[in-house]
Amino acid sequence: MTTALIADDEPLLAANLAERLRALWPGLDIVAIAANGVEAVAALHARRPDLAFLDIRMPGLTGLQVAQAARDTRVVFVTAYDEYALHAFEHAAIDYLLKPVTDARLAQCVGRLQRQTAAPPDLAAALAALAPRATAPALSWLTVGHGDTTRLVALDEVLYFEASQKYTDVVTRSERHLIRTPLKELLLQLDPARFAQIHRGIIVNLGAVAHIQRDLLGRQQVHLKLHDAVLPLSRSYAHQFKLM
């Protein structure tokens, strides 16, 4: 029986992909569904699946980083990346699914995987081609609208970012601004040494964190130094603070 891992930080999308894969491939055994990159690497080592469907944009480790731990596992990237990345995948014969994944494209991918008998291709070419994007300089300031004017907000001023439907709230000590960049896209532009995702809808400035507290129900909450907001810390992201 063919085994598979699915890794996506959006549970509904992961569950939907699993359901559709089972319908198209009754003999496929989905042995693990990981909610982030760290869980995905652990599952790769523990379960050694034949296939891994990896979302590229995940907290902790990206799908590209997780793929480096895939030795005898054939990787399928599930991505909303632009054509630059897709060209790199095609050039290296790497399987990928572009979000939102259509039924026809998923069926095509499944058919190809069922027919493949050769060893998984070397991922080095695709990952090397994507390296320039991974090393792009992090943001240092944001452009935000303020009435009839445009303002620059330094990243040092930002306490946290919060998803707001299709937009993102930028919260400073005394103001709240709305930008059009989605949270997932914004995360890729931030310095991971300064900002961390703590919830599917929240990114926090690590320098603004005062302490992390567990309530009576066992839920973890992030308290800030200069703001009275109390932010939820999801279990999927708690590993980032184990040494704090």
Side-chain angles (χ1 to χ4, degrees), residues 44 50-51 56 67 70 103 105 130 142 149 163 193 237:
L44 277 174
D50 301 306
L51 306 170
I56 286 187
D103 291 340
R105 181 67 183 88
L130 290 167
L142 297 167
T149 64
Y237 304 95

Side-chain angles (χ1 to χ4, degrees), residues 87-215:
H87 175 74
F89 296 153
E90 290 170 348
H91 182 71
I94 304 299
D95 290 310
Y96 70 88
L97 295 169
L98 184 63
K99 292 182 178 181
V101 182
T102 65
D103 291 340
R105 181 67 183 88
L106 185 59
Q108 182 186 47
C109 178
V110 166
R112 182 187 300 137
L113 292 171
Q114 290 174 327
R115 293 191 300 271
Q116 287 172 338
T117 57
D122 185 3
L123 293 176
L127 299 182
L130 290 167
R133 288 294 179 88
T135 57
L139 285 177
S140 57
W141 49 266
L142 297 167
T143 303
V144 301
H146 188 74
D148 295 329
T149 64
T150 298
R151 284 189 50 195
L152 297 183
V153 176
L155 264 293
D156 291 337
E157 298 178 40
V158 179
L159 302 181
Y160 65 95
F161 298 95
E162 185 172 16
S164 177
Q165 296 182 349
K166 295 181 179 180
Y167 303 99
T168 299
D169 281 323
V170 180
V171 182
T172 67
R173 185 175 182 180
S174 59
E175 297 176 325
R176 195 178 188 103
H177 306 282
L178 197 66
I179 60 174
R180 295 179 179 273
T181 306
L183 200 73
K184 272 188 125 178
E185 183 178 329
L186 181 64
L187 182 63
L188 296 177
Q189 303 176 58
L190 297 173
D191 183 350
R194 297 171 58 199
F195 290 88
Q197 188 163 14
I198 61 170
H199 182 273
R200 63 180 302 181
I202 300 174
I203 298 171
V204 71
N205 183 338
L206 294 172
V209 175
H211 62 274
I212 298 168
Q213 187 172 354
R214 192 183 300 272
D215 66 15

Side-chain angles (χ1 to χ4, degrees), residues 22-40:
R22 290 188 180 107
L24 287 168
W25 195 342
L28 184 67
D29 182 14
I30 299 174
V31 295
I33 296 180
N36 57 59
V38 176
E39 287 184 13

Side-chain angles (χ1 to χ4, degrees), residues 6 12-23 28 30 33:
I6 294 175
L12 293 179
L13 292 182
N16 177 262
L17 179 59
E19 181 180 356
R20 295 166 69 191
L21 283 170
R22 290 188 180 107
L28 184 67
I30 299 174
I33 296 180

Side-chain angles (χ1 to χ4, degrees), residues 238-244:
H239 66 274
Q240 303 172 95
F241 300 94
K242 284 184 178 179
L243 299 179
M244 291 185 68

Side-chain angles (χ1 to χ4, degrees), residues 2 24 26 41 55 59 99 118 140 166 173 208 220 224 226:
T2 302
L24 287 168
V41 170
D55 184 20
K99 292 182 178 181
S140 57
K166 295 181 179 180
R173 185 175 182 180
Q220 295 188 80
L224 305 178
L226 303 173

